[in-house]
Amino acid sequence: MDGSIRVALPRGDLRAPLAERLAAVGFAPPGYGEGSRHYRFTVEGRPRVAVRVFSDEDIPIQIALGQYDLGITSRSSIDELVTRYGHDSIVALRALDVGEARVVLAAPAGTTLAELGARRPLRVATTFPHLTARYLNWLRVPDYRLIEVWGQPQAWPPEDADAAVLDVSPGEGTPEVLAREGLEAIAEVHRGSAWLVANRHALGEHDLREALDALLELPVRPPAAEGVLYGPLRPTPLVLDRRSAESGANGYERHDGPLRLAVPDGHAQRHTVEALAAAGMAFEGYDERQAVRRPRSAIEGVTVKVIRPQDMPQAVALGRFDVALTGRDWLAAHLAAFPASPVEELCDLHRSRYRMGAVVSEDVPAETIGEALAYWRRDDPDRAIRVASEYVELADHYARERHLGRYRVIPIGGASEGFVPDDAEILIEGSETGTTLRANRLRMIDVIMESTNCAIGSTVRPPGARGELRDRLVERLAAAAPPDDGGGPA
């Protein structure tokens, strides 16, 4: 450490109300509350304090690793980490009167907790796998399957999951959003506000008063509203019927019915609409302007659902979809984590092209990753190289394949370009044009793969009519793909 006091603050919905409270106690990072696109701030009148903005879920990891001394983050993000990894390096100092949030179990309207408990297995989609597993174990659910997703777990029920566990604070999990998906909250899993936290070693060994004295003046949450601070709430214990479920109730083995096609939302949507249009396919409710959850298909025997492209390889592996249109990067990330997964590329759509690779600071005087390693370790041959990425398994595979020696993979949830160089030496990231990298004084030093969008499916061809329909669908998509010119981003 350089003697500075490093403080991690959240971006997103918590940012504006937290900025008001920080200003009131004389801890004001200029521009933080205005939603600046910058990630690093100073604090007026506190020259030793350096503030860095992270996605909320990344802050407990940064505190646990000792890369930051103090932080403010949601209780759910803290407990999601410590429930699985019992870090005593994180000290929860106090609950703040901001960021009140609930994590709930949501299911199709009218479903009871007892009915869910009778499912074999109970399929639950969530972005909180560790809190969810703890909750289901406490309920004594004998047979469950967690589907860990990148986002929008409410998109999975009822076809692809029986329930979802998600945050119902302002945002994608509000009651109105659940109602639009035909869901309702039937049990509370976790409750908490934002918390002030510290790294245990920094708290005991470093002088943090220049930052901590002000942060300890932040308004605290009233005791009557504390709720449960550690782990799930305690509903009435549910003693489940342990008799075997009816044969075939889990829905994972499908041998008839329509062919199910998954299409993406977000950045990949425009390219996918173009690929479908070129193949003579269009689905009502899915175009460049909108993406309803279940677009109407005019193709006989085909049903369509919109889910996150990151989650598609897993969904295909679970047998939930016959064909999915996603990125080759997400397929590679899935196969890096599960090499034997029964998912494969069916055809390359040759759209949404970009490079995935190792990104470093422009200040690193190297042209190859080997030269960069020599530069970083010029004074310390045993230095651990920090590799940050949303693609955790790909990052780990890259570190081993390139023989980085001692390394540490840092999983991140967003704002990735802000990690290098202060919080990681390498960022494993994709770039379409390189504009964002250049704007942040970064450059790609080593290309891992050229990624485009593609159609994926099971390695086992579906039987009967579904298999024939999959063949025709893939043939149309492949025939309509533009020529592969081998080009890449500038």
Side-chain angles (χ1 to χ4, degrees):
M1 300 294 289
D2 57 5
S4 64
I5 304 171
R6 308 189 73 192
V7 180
L9 296 180
R11 61 184 188 134
D13 295 330
L14 190 55
R15 188 172 189 153
L18 179 59
E20 294 180 6
R21 288 158 174 79
L22 289 171
V25 298
F27 191 96
Y32 170 66
E34 286 74 39
S36 168
R37 293 180 65 85
H38 295 289
Y39 299 108
R40 294 179 175 84
F41 299 90
T42 57
V43 181
E44 294 177 354
R46 304 176 189 274
R48 290 182 57 220
V49 177
V51 170
R52 164 78 157 89
V53 176
F54 292 92
S55 294
D56 184 81
E57 63 268 28
D58 292 332
I59 293 177
I61 297 172
Q62 293 295 318
I63 298 294
L65 292 175
Q67 300 213 117
Y68 284 78
D69 306 303
L70 301 166
I72 295 175
T73 184
S74 68
R75 185 77 229 190
S76 59
S77 290
I78 298 169
D79 287 352
E80 175 62 19
L81 177 68
V82 301
T83 295
R84 175 63 179 84
Y85 305 101
H87 283 287
D88 63 0
S89 55
I90 298 180
V91 179
L93 297 177
R94 60 183 56 191
L96 306 179
D97 74 335
V98 64
E100 171 70 21
R102 296 165 60 236
V103 176
V104 302
L105 177 69
T111 306
T112 67
L113 196 58
E115 288 171 344
L116 283 183
R119 304 284 173 86
R120 298 293 190 276
L122 174 61
R123 304 167 300 160
V124 183
T126 184
T127 54
F128 296 98
H130 306 317
L131 285 177
T132 302
R134 178 172 172 176
Y135 177 71
L136 296 177
N137 289 336
W138 183 85
L139 286 179
R140 290 178 280 177
V141 176
D143 188 8
Y144 64 82
R145 181 172 298 180
L146 291 182
I147 306 171
E148 183 178 355
V149 299
W150 287 72
Q152 299 182 3
Q154 69 271 17
W156 286 67
E159 304 98 331
D160 307 302
D162 303 301
V165 170
L166 71 163
D167 188 340
V168 291
S169 57
E172 68 175 26
T174 59
E176 293 78 12
V177 172
L178 292 181
R180 285 201 298 269
E181 300 286 356
L183 306 178
E184 61 183 7
I186 62 173
E188 193 171 48
V189 175
H190 185 277
R191 175 185 292 180
S193 65
W195 274 69
L196 173 63
V197 295
N199 176 270
R200 184 178 298 277
H201 174 76
L203 197 62
E205 302 294 331
H206 300 156
D207 182 0
L208 305 180
R209 287 176 294 178
E210 190 171 309
L212 188 56
D213 285 352
L215 296 177
L216 287 174
E217 294 178 9
L218 288 169
V220 298
R221 195 173 179 211
E226 282 294 318
V228 171
L229 305 180
Y230 299 89
L233 296 180
R234 295 280 182 175
T236 302
L238 178 63
V239 179
L240 298 172
D241 182 356
R242 296 180 180 272
R243 293 175 294 179
S244 297
E246 294 181 7
S247 175
N250 62 29
Y252 280 80
E253 296 291 338
R254 297 189 306 111
H255 297 291
D256 53 15
L259 179 140
R260 299 199 67 211
L261 170 66
V263 294
D265 58 4
H267 296 301
Q269 182 174 334
R270 176 175 62 86
H271 298 287
T272 302
V273 169
E274 291 174 354
L276 290 169
M281 290 181 277
F283 305 112
E284 184 179 342
Y286 185 73
D287 54 42
E288 293 189 5
R289 297 179 305 278
Q290 63 176 335
V292 301
R293 182 66 62 201
R294 297 167 183 83
R296 294 185 60 183
S297 170
I299 304 175
E300 185 177 354
V302 175
T303 62
V304 185
K305 189 173 184 180
V306 176
I307 66 172
R308 301 271 297 220
Q310 298 96 317
D311 296 321
M312 289 183 182
Q314 176 182 215
V316 170
L318 293 173
R320 305 314 306 149
F321 293 93
D322 300 293
V323 179
L325 306 184
T326 185
R328 302 178 80 192
D329 54 342
W330 295 118
L331 176 60
H334 175 77
L335 293 176
F338 308 102
S341 180
V343 185
E344 65 181 357
E345 181 180 314
L346 301 177
C347 72
D348 187 350
L349 303 181
H350 297 309
R351 299 175 188 271
S352 189
R353 184 182 301 278
Y354 72 98
R355 287 191 175 104
M356 172 73 65
V359 172
V360 302
S361 168
E362 286 184 349
D363 295 330
V364 175
E367 297 302 322
T368 67
I369 194 65
E371 293 175 359
L373 290 173
Y375 170 75
W376 291 319
R377 289 183 169 134
R378 62 195 184 282
D379 298 321
D380 180 5
D382 295 323
R383 176 178 177 177
I385 303 301
R386 299 165 299 173
V387 185
S389 185
E390 293 181 87
Y391 306 82
V392 175
E393 292 80 12
L394 275 183
D396 185 66
H397 179 77
Y398 175 82
R400 288 183 280 108
E401 186 179 61
R402 295 297 197 273
H403 306 290
L404 297 192
R406 292 189 64 211
Y407 68 91
R408 172 187 289 170
V409 173
I410 302 174
I412 60 178
S416 56
E417 59 271 12
F419 275 79
V420 174
D422 292 339
D423 305 305
E425 283 71 46
I426 299 173
L427 172 68
I428 303 300
E429 179 74 336
S431 177
E432 186 172 358
T433 65
T435 302
T436 300
L437 296 184
R438 289 190 291 271
N440 287 275
R441 302 192 70 251
L442 304 174
R443 62 191 174 95
M444 188 172 293
I445 197 172
D446 193 11
V447 176
I448 298 174
M449 66 178 295
E450 298 274 359
S451 181
T452 51
N453 56 357
C454 65
I456 64 173
S458 172
T459 54
V460 178
R461 180 179 179 273
R466 271 195 13 257
E468 295 173 2
L469 188 54
R470 189 182 88 162
D471 292 344
R472 293 197 298 272
L473 191 71
V474 171
E475 287 172 3
R476 289 174 63 178
L477 289 168
D484 183 7
D485 60 7

